[in-house]
Coordinates of all heavy atoms in Angstrom, one line a residue:
M1 N -64.9 203.6 140.1 CA -64.5 204.3 139.0 C -64.2 203.3 137.9 O -63.3 202.5 138.0 CB -63.2 205.0 139.4 CG -62.5 205.8 138.2 SD -61.0 206.6 138.7 CE -61.5 207.7 140.0
Q2 N -64.9 203.4 136.8 CA -64.7 202.4 135.7 C -64.1 203.2 134.5 O -64.4 204.3 134.3 CB -66.0 201.8 135.3 CG -66.5 200.8 136.3 CD -65.6 199.6 136.4 OE1 -64.8 199.3 135.6 NE2 -65.8 198.9 137.5
H3 N -63.2 202.5 133.8 CA -62.5 203.1 132.7 C -62.6 202.2 131.5 O -61.7 202.2 130.7 CB -61.0 203.3 133.0 CG -60.8 204.3 134.1 ND1 -60.9 205.6 133.9 CD2 -60.6 204.1 135.4 CE1 -60.7 206.3 135.1 NE2 -60.5 205.4 136.0
G4 N -63.7 201.5 131.3 CA -63.9 200.7 130.1 C -63.3 199.3 130.2 O -63.4 198.6 129.2
H5 N -62.7 199.0 131.2 CA -62.1 197.6 131.3 C -62.7 196.9 132.5 O -62.9 197.5 133.6 CB -60.6 197.7 131.5 CG -59.9 198.2 130.3 ND1 -59.7 199.5 130.1 CD2 -59.5 197.6 129.2 CE1 -59.0 199.7 129.0 NE2 -58.9 198.5 128.4
E6 N -63.0 195.7 132.4 CA -63.5 194.8 133.5 C -62.4 194.4 134.4 O -61.3 194.0 133.9 CB -64.2 193.6 132.9 CG -64.8 192.7 133.8 CD -66.2 193.2 134.2 OE1 -66.8 193.9 133.5 OE2 -66.7 192.8 135.3
A7 N -62.5 194.6 135.7 CA -61.5 194.3 136.6 C -61.4 192.7 136.7 O -62.5 192.1 136.7 CB -61.9 194.8 138.0
P8 N -60.2 192.2 136.9 CA -60.1 190.7 137.0 C -60.8 190.3 138.4 O -60.8 191.1 139.3 CB -58.6 190.5 137.1 CG -58.0 191.8 137.4 CD -58.9 192.8 136.9
A9 N -61.3 189.1 138.4 CA -61.9 188.6 139.7 C -60.9 188.4 140.8 O -61.2 188.6 141.9 CB -62.8 187.4 139.4
Q10 N -59.7 187.8 140.4 CA -58.7 187.5 141.3 C -57.3 187.9 140.8 O -57.1 187.9 139.6 CB -58.7 186.0 141.6 CG -60.0 185.5 142.2 CD -59.9 184.0 142.5 OE1 -58.8 183.4 142.7 NE2 -61.0 183.3 142.6
L11 N -56.4 188.1 141.7 CA -55.0 188.4 141.3 C -54.1 187.7 142.3 O -54.6 187.2 143.4 CB -54.7 189.9 141.4 CG -55.4 190.7 140.3 CD1 -55.3 192.2 140.6 CD2 -54.8 190.4 138.9
G12 N -52.9 187.6 142.0 CA -51.9 186.9 143.0 C -52.2 185.5 143.2 O -52.2 185.0 144.3
R13 N -52.5 184.8 142.1 CA -52.8 183.3 142.2 C -54.0 183.0 143.2 O -53.9 182.1 144.0 CB -51.6 182.5 142.6 CG -50.5 182.7 141.6 CD -49.3 181.8 141.9 NE -48.3 182.0 140.9 CZ -47.1 182.6 141.2 NH1 -46.8 183.0 142.4 NH2 -46.2 182.8 140.2
G14 N -55.0 183.9 143.2 CA -56.1 183.8 144.0 C -56.1 184.4 145.4 O -57.0 184.4 146.2
R15 N -54.9 184.9 145.8 CA -54.7 185.5 147.1 C -55.6 186.8 147.2 O -56.1 187.0 148.3 CB -53.3 185.9 147.3 CG -53.0 186.6 148.6 CD -51.6 187.0 148.8 NE -51.4 187.9 149.9 CZ -50.2 188.4 150.3 NH1 -49.1 188.0 149.7 NH2 -50.2 189.2 151.3
F16 N -55.7 187.6 146.2 CA -56.5 188.8 146.2 C -57.8 188.7 145.4 O -57.8 188.3 144.3 CB -55.6 190.0 145.6 CG -54.3 190.1 146.4 CD1 -53.2 189.6 145.9 CD2 -54.3 190.9 147.5 CE1 -52.0 189.7 146.6 CE2 -53.1 191.1 148.2 CZ -51.9 190.5 147.7
L17 N -58.9 189.0 146.1 CA -60.2 189.1 145.5 C -60.5 190.5 145.1 O -60.6 191.4 146.0 CB -61.3 188.5 146.4 CG -61.1 187.1 146.8 CD1 -62.2 186.7 147.8 CD2 -61.1 186.1 145.6
V18 N -60.6 190.8 143.8 CA -60.7 192.2 143.3 C -62.1 192.6 143.4 O -63.1 192.0 143.0 CB -60.2 192.3 141.9 CG1 -60.4 193.7 141.4 CG2 -58.7 191.9 141.8
A19 N -62.3 193.8 144.1 CA -63.7 194.4 144.2 C -64.0 195.4 143.1 O -65.0 195.3 142.4 CB -63.8 195.1 145.5
E20 N -63.0 196.3 142.8 CA -63.2 197.3 141.8 C -62.0 198.1 141.4 O -61.0 198.0 142.2 CB -64.3 198.3 142.3 CG -63.8 199.1 143.5 CD -64.8 200.1 144.0 OE1 -65.6 200.6 143.2 OE2 -64.8 200.3 145.2
E21 N -62.0 198.7 140.3 CA -60.9 199.6 139.9 C -61.1 200.9 140.6 O -62.2 201.4 140.7 CB -60.9 199.8 138.4 CG -59.8 200.8 137.9 CD -59.8 201.0 136.4 OE1 -60.1 200.0 135.7 OE2 -59.6 202.1 136.1
I22 N -60.0 201.5 141.2 CA -60.1 202.7 141.9 C -59.3 203.8 141.3 O -59.4 205.0 141.7 CB -59.9 202.6 143.5 CG1 -58.5 202.0 143.7 CG2 -60.9 201.8 144.1 CD1 -58.1 201.9 145.2
G23 N -58.4 203.5 140.4 CA -57.6 204.6 139.8 C -56.6 204.0 138.8 O -56.4 202.8 138.6
R24 N -56.0 204.9 138.1 CA -54.9 204.6 137.1 C -53.7 205.5 137.3 O -53.9 206.7 137.6 CB -55.4 204.7 135.7 CG -56.4 203.6 135.4 CD -56.9 203.7 134.0 NE -57.9 202.6 133.8 CZ -57.7 201.6 132.9 NH1 -56.7 201.7 132.0 NH2 -58.6 200.7 132.8
G25 N -52.5 205.0 137.1 CA -51.3 205.8 137.2 C -50.5 205.6 136.0 O -50.9 205.0 135.0
A26 N -49.2 206.1 136.1 CA -48.3 206.1 135.0 C -47.9 204.6 134.6 O -47.7 204.3 133.5 CB -47.1 206.9 135.3
F27 N -47.9 203.7 135.6 CA -47.4 202.4 135.4 C -48.5 201.3 135.4 O -48.3 200.2 134.9 CB -46.4 202.0 136.5 CG -45.2 202.8 136.5 CD1 -44.9 203.7 137.5 CD2 -44.3 202.8 135.4 CE1 -43.8 204.5 137.6 CE2 -43.2 203.6 135.4 CZ -42.9 204.4 136.5
G28 N -49.7 201.6 136.0 CA -50.7 200.6 136.0 C -52.0 201.0 136.6 O -52.3 202.2 136.8
I29 N -52.9 200.0 136.8 CA -54.2 200.2 137.3 C -54.2 199.8 138.8 O -53.6 198.9 139.2 CB -55.2 199.3 136.6 CG1 -55.2 199.6 135.1 CG2 -56.6 199.4 137.1 CD1 -56.0 198.6 134.2
V30 N -54.9 200.6 139.6 CA -55.0 200.4 141.0 C -56.4 199.8 141.3 O -57.5 200.4 140.9 CB -54.8 201.7 141.8 CG1 -54.9 201.4 143.3 CG2 -53.4 202.2 141.5
Y31 N -56.5 198.7 142.0 CA -57.7 198.0 142.4 C -57.9 198.0 143.9 O -56.9 197.9 144.6 CB -57.7 196.6 141.9 CG -57.7 196.4 140.4 CD1 -56.5 196.0 139.8 CD2 -58.8 196.6 139.7 CE1 -56.4 195.8 138.4 CE2 -58.8 196.4 138.3 CZ -57.6 196.1 137.7 OH -57.5 195.9 136.3
R32 N -59.1 198.0 144.4 CA -59.5 197.7 145.7 C -59.7 196.2 145.8 O -60.4 195.7 144.9 CB -60.7 198.4 146.2 CG -61.0 198.1 147.7 CD -62.2 199.0 148.2 NE -63.4 198.7 147.6 CZ -64.2 197.7 147.9 NH1 -63.9 196.9 148.9 NH2 -65.4 197.5 147.2
A33 N -59.0 195.5 146.7 CA -59.1 194.1 146.7 C -59.0 193.6 148.1 O -58.6 194.3 149.0 CB -57.9 193.5 145.9
R34 N -59.4 192.4 148.3 CA -59.3 191.7 149.7 C -58.2 190.8 149.7 O -58.1 189.8 148.8 CB -60.6 190.9 149.9 CG -60.7 190.3 151.3 CD -61.0 191.3 152.3 NE -61.2 190.7 153.6 CZ -61.2 191.3 154.7 NH1 -61.1 192.7 154.7 NH2 -61.3 190.7 155.9
D35 N -57.2 191.0 150.6 CA -56.1 190.0 150.7 C -56.6 188.9 151.6 O -56.8 189.0 152.8 CB -54.9 190.8 151.4 CG -53.7 189.9 151.6 OD1 -53.8 188.6 151.6 OD2 -52.6 190.5 151.8
R36 N -56.8 187.8 151.0 CA -57.4 186.6 151.7 C -56.4 186.0 152.7 O -56.8 185.5 153.7 CB -57.8 185.5 150.7 CG -58.9 186.0 149.8 CD -59.1 185.1 148.6 NE -59.6 183.8 149.1 CZ -59.7 182.7 148.4 NH1 -59.3 182.7 147.2 NH2 -60.1 181.6 149.0
L37 N -55.1 186.2 152.5 CA -54.1 185.7 153.4 C -54.1 186.5 154.7 O -54.1 186.0 155.8 CB -52.7 185.7 152.8 CG -51.6 185.1 153.6 CD1 -51.8 183.7 153.8 CD2 -50.3 185.4 152.8
A38 N -54.1 187.9 154.6 CA -54.0 188.8 155.7 C -55.4 189.1 156.3 O -55.5 189.6 157.4 CB -53.3 190.1 155.3
G39 N -56.4 188.9 155.5 CA -57.8 189.2 156.0 C -58.1 190.7 156.0 O -58.9 191.1 156.9
V40 N -57.5 191.5 155.1 CA -57.7 192.9 155.1 C -57.9 193.4 153.7 O -57.6 192.7 152.7 CB -56.5 193.7 155.7 CG1 -56.3 193.4 157.1 CG2 -55.2 193.4 154.9
D41 N -58.6 194.6 153.5 CA -58.7 195.2 152.2 C -57.4 196.0 151.9 O -56.8 196.6 152.8 CB -59.9 196.2 152.2 CG -61.2 195.5 152.3 OD1 -61.3 194.3 151.9 OD2 -62.2 196.1 152.7
V42 N -57.1 195.9 150.6 CA -55.8 196.6 150.2 C -56.1 197.3 148.9 O -57.1 197.1 148.2 CB -54.7 195.5 149.9 CG1 -54.3 194.8 151.2 CG2 -55.1 194.6 148.8
A43 N -55.2 198.2 148.6 CA -55.1 198.8 147.2 C -54.0 198.2 146.5 O -52.9 198.0 147.1 CB -54.9 200.3 147.3
M44 N -54.2 197.7 145.3 CA -53.2 196.9 144.6 C -53.0 197.5 143.2 O -53.9 197.6 142.4 CB -53.7 195.5 144.5 CG -52.9 194.6 143.7 SD -53.6 192.9 143.7 CE -52.3 192.0 144.2
K45 N -51.7 197.8 142.9 CA -51.4 198.4 141.6 C -50.9 197.2 140.7 O -50.0 196.5 141.1 CB -50.3 199.4 141.7 CG -50.0 200.1 140.3 CD -48.9 201.1 140.4 CE -49.5 202.4 140.8 NZ -48.5 203.5 140.7
V46 N -51.5 197.1 139.5 CA -51.1 196.1 138.6 C -50.6 196.8 137.3 O -51.2 197.7 136.8 CB -52.3 195.2 138.2 CG1 -52.0 194.2 137.1 CG2 -52.9 194.6 139.4
L47 N -49.4 196.4 136.9 CA -48.7 197.0 135.8 C -49.5 196.8 134.5 O -50.1 195.8 134.3 CB -47.3 196.5 135.6 CG -46.3 196.7 136.6 CD1 -45.0 196.1 136.3 CD2 -46.1 198.2 136.8
Y48 N -49.5 197.9 133.6 CA -50.1 197.8 132.3 C -49.3 196.7 131.5 O -49.9 196.0 130.8 CB -50.0 199.1 131.5 CG -50.9 200.2 132.1 CD1 -50.3 201.4 132.5 CD2 -52.2 200.0 132.2 CE1 -51.1 202.4 132.9 CE2 -53.0 201.0 132.7 CZ -52.5 202.2 133.1 OH -53.3 203.2 133.6
R49 N -48.0 196.7 131.6 CA -47.2 195.7 130.9 C -46.0 195.3 131.8 O -45.6 196.1 132.6 CB -46.7 196.3 129.6 CG -45.8 197.5 129.7 CD -45.5 198.1 128.3 NE -44.5 199.1 128.4 CZ -44.6 200.3 129.0 NH1 -45.8 200.6 129.6 NH2 -43.7 201.2 129.0
D50 N -45.5 194.1 131.6 CA -44.5 193.6 132.4 C -43.1 193.8 131.7 O -43.0 193.7 130.5 CB -44.7 192.1 132.6 CG -43.8 191.5 133.7 OD1 -43.2 192.3 134.5 OD2 -43.7 190.3 133.7
G51 N -42.1 194.0 132.5 CA -40.7 194.1 132.0 C -40.3 195.5 131.6 O -41.0 196.4 131.6
G52 N -39.0 195.6 131.4 CA -38.4 196.8 131.0 C -38.6 198.0 131.9 O -38.5 197.9 133.1
D53 N -38.8 199.2 131.3 CA -39.0 200.4 132.0 C -40.1 200.4 133.1 O -40.0 201.0 134.1 CB -39.2 201.6 131.1 CG -38.0 201.9 130.2 OD1 -36.9 201.5 130.6 OD2 -38.1 202.5 129.1
A54 N -41.2 199.7 132.7 CA -42.3 199.7 133.7 C -41.9 199.0 135.0 O -42.3 199.4 136.1 CB -43.5 199.0 133.0
T55 N -41.2 197.8 134.9 CA -40.8 197.1 136.1 C -39.8 197.9 136.9 O -39.9 198.0 138.1 CB -40.2 195.8 135.7 OG1 -41.2 195.0 135.0 CG2 -39.7 195.0 136.9
L56 N -38.8 198.5 136.2 CA -37.9 199.4 136.9 C -38.6 200.6 137.6 O -38.3 200.9 138.7 CB -36.8 199.9 136.0 CG -35.8 198.8 135.5 CD1 -34.9 199.4 134.4 CD2 -35.0 198.2 136.6
G57 N -39.5 201.2 136.9 CA -40.3 202.3 137.4 C -41.1 202.0 138.7 O -41.1 202.7 139.7
I58 N -41.7 200.8 138.7 CA -42.6 200.4 139.8 C -41.7 200.1 141.0 O -42.0 200.4 142.1 CB -43.6 199.3 139.5 CG1 -44.7 199.3 140.5 CG2 -42.9 198.0 139.4 CD1 -45.7 200.3 140.3
K59 N -40.5 199.4 140.7 CA -39.6 199.1 141.8 C -39.0 200.4 142.4 O -38.9 200.5 143.7 CB -38.4 198.2 141.3 CG -38.8 196.8 141.0 CD -37.7 196.0 140.5 CE -38.0 194.6 140.3 NZ -36.9 193.8 139.8
R60 N -38.7 201.4 141.6 CA -38.2 202.6 142.1 C -39.3 203.4 142.9 O -39.0 203.9 144.0 CB -37.8 203.5 140.9 CG -37.1 204.8 141.3 CD -36.6 205.6 140.1 NE -35.8 204.8 139.2 CZ -36.2 204.5 137.9 NH1 -37.3 205.0 137.4 NH2 -35.4 203.8 137.1
E61 N -40.5 203.4 142.4 CA -41.6 204.0 143.1 C -41.8 203.3 144.5 O -42.0 204.0 145.5 CB -42.9 203.9 142.3 CG -44.1 204.5 142.9 CD -45.3 204.3 142.0 OE1 -45.4 205.1 141.0 OE2 -46.1 203.5 142.3
F62 N -41.8 202.0 144.5 CA -42.0 201.3 145.7 C -40.9 201.6 146.8 O -41.2 201.9 147.9 CB -42.0 199.8 145.5 CG -42.4 199.0 146.7 CD1 -43.7 198.7 147.0 CD2 -41.4 198.4 147.5 CE1 -44.0 198.0 148.1 CE2 -41.7 197.6 148.6 CZ -43.0 197.4 148.9
R63 N -39.6 201.6 146.3 CA -38.5 201.9 147.3 C -38.7 203.3 147.9 O -38.4 203.5 149.1 CB -37.2 201.8 146.6 CG -36.8 200.3 146.4 CD -35.3 200.3 145.9 NE -35.2 199.1 145.0 CZ -35.1 199.2 143.7 NH1 -34.9 200.3 143.1 NH2 -35.0 198.1 143.0
V64 N -39.0 204.3 147.0 CA -39.1 205.7 147.5 C -40.3 205.8 148.5 O -40.2 206.4 149.6 CB -39.3 206.6 146.3 CG1 -39.7 208.0 146.8 CG2 -38.0 206.7 145.5
L65 N -41.5 205.2 148.1 CA -42.7 205.4 148.9 C -42.7 204.5 150.2 O -43.4 204.8 151.1 CB -43.9 205.2 148.1 CG -44.1 206.2 146.9 CD1 -45.3 205.8 146.1 CD2 -44.2 207.6 147.4
R66 N -42.0 203.4 150.2 CA -42.0 202.5 151.3 C -41.7 203.1 152.6 O -42.2 202.8 153.6 CB -41.1 201.3 151.0 CG -40.9 200.3 152.1 CD -41.8 199.2 152.0 NE -41.5 198.4 153.2 CZ -42.0 197.2 153.4 NH1 -42.7 196.7 152.4 NH2 -41.8 196.5 154.4
G67 N -40.7 204.0 152.6 CA -40.3 204.6 153.8 C -41.1 205.8 154.3 O -40.8 206.3 155.4
L68 N -42.1 206.2 153.5 CA -42.9 207.4 153.9 C -44.0 206.9 154.9 O -44.6 205.9 154.7 CB -43.5 208.1 152.7 CG -42.5 208.7 151.7 CD1 -43.3 209.3 150.6 CD2 -41.7 209.8 152.4
A69 N -44.3 207.8 155.9 CA -45.4 207.5 156.8 C -46.1 208.8 157.1 O -45.5 209.8 157.5 CB -44.9 206.9 158.1
H70 N -47.4 208.8 156.8 CA -48.2 210.0 157.0 C -49.7 209.5 157.1 O -50.1 208.6 156.4 CB -48.0 211.0 155.9 CG -48.7 212.3 156.1 ND1 -50.1 212.5 155.9 CD2 -48.3 213.4 156.6 CE1 -50.4 213.7 156.2 NE2 -49.3 214.3 156.6
P71 N -50.5 210.1 157.9 CA -51.9 209.7 158.0 C -52.7 209.8 156.7 O -53.7 209.0 156.5 CB -52.5 210.6 159.1 CG -51.4 211.2 159.8 CD -50.2 211.2 158.9
S72 N -52.2 210.6 155.8 CA -52.9 210.8 154.5 C -52.4 209.8 153.4 O -52.9 209.9 152.3 CB -52.8 212.2 154.0 OG -53.5 213.1 154.9
L73 N -51.4 209.0 153.7 CA -50.9 208.1 152.7 C -51.2 206.7 153.1 O -51.2 206.3 154.2 CB -49.3 208.3 152.7 CG -48.8 209.6 152.2 CD1 -47.3 209.7 152.3 CD2 -49.2 210.0 150.8
V74 N -51.3 205.8 152.1 CA -51.4 204.4 152.3 C -50.1 203.8 152.6 O -49.0 204.4 152.3 CB -52.0 203.7 151.1 CG1 -53.4 204.1 150.7 CG2 -51.1 203.8 149.9
R75 N -50.1 202.8 153.4 CA -48.8 202.1 153.7 C -48.5 201.0 152.7 O -49.4 200.2 152.4 CB -48.9 201.5 155.1 CG -47.6 200.9 155.6 CD -47.7 200.5 157.0 NE -46.4 199.8 157.3 CZ -46.3 198.8 158.2 NH1 -47.4 198.4 158.8 NH2 -45.2 198.3 158.4
L76 N -47.3 200.9 152.2 CA -46.9 199.9 151.3 C -46.4 198.7 152.1 O -45.6 198.8 153.0 CB -45.8 200.4 150.4 CG -46.2 201.6 149.5 CD1 -45.0 202.0 148.6 CD2 -47.4 201.3 148.6
Y77 N -46.8 197.5 151.7 CA -46.5 196.3 152.4 C -45.5 195.4 151.6 O -44.5 194.9 152.1 CB -47.7 195.5 152.8 CG -48.5 196.1 153.9 CD1 -49.6 196.9 153.7 CD2 -48.1 195.9 155.2 CE1 -50.3 197.5 154.7 CE2 -48.8 196.5 156.3 CZ -49.9 197.3 156.0 OH -50.5 197.8 157.0
E78 N -45.8 195.1 150.4 CA -45.0 194.2 149.6 C -45.1 194.5 148.1 O -46.0 195.0 147.6 CB -45.3 192.8 149.9 CG -46.7 192.3 149.5 CD -46.9 190.8 150.0 OE1 -46.2 189.9 149.4 OE2 -47.8 190.6 150.8
L79 N -44.0 194.0 147.5 CA -43.9 194.1 146.0 C -43.7 192.7 145.5 O -42.7 192.1 146.0 CB -42.8 195.1 145.6 CG -42.4 195.2 144.2 CD1 -43.6 195.9 143.4 CD2 -41.2 196.0 144.0
F80 N -44.5 192.2 144.6 CA -44.2 190.9 144.1 C -44.7 190.7 142.7 O -45.5 191.5 142.2 CB -44.9 189.8 145.0 CG -46.4 189.8 145.0 CD1 -47.0 189.0 144.1 CD2 -47.1 190.6 145.9 CE1 -48.4 189.0 144.1 CE2 -48.4 190.6 145.9 CZ -49.1 189.8 145.0
A81 N -44.1 189.7 142.0 CA -44.5 189.4 140.6 C -45.3 188.2 140.6 O -45.1 187.2 141.3 CB -43.2 189.2 139.8
D82 N -46.4 188.2 139.8 CA -47.3 187.1 139.6 C -47.3 186.7 138.2 O -48.0 187.3 137.4 CB -48.7 187.5 140.1 CG -49.6 186.3 140.0 OD1 -49.2 185.1 140.0 OD2 -50.8 186.6 139.9
S83 N -46.4 185.8 137.8 CA -46.3 185.5 136.4 C -46.9 184.1 136.0 O -47.3 183.4 136.8 CB -44.8 185.4 135.9 OG -43.9 185.1 136.9

């Protein structure tokens, strides 16, 4: 799914190799990427902008969704900042 923007090649200081954009949400862009440290494919949300309401919103979203478990939902592993 392309939305007119080129996906970055790497994120997380090279830990994640980005394959493609797979969606967009209220706070950011979601990419399919390879976690080189864990050796697995992941979905990774990257904020449109850093700081303020966006950061609080993504933290709140992570806390709420982290505890949910269902076969139709992805599992959340970690939240980190890459500045």
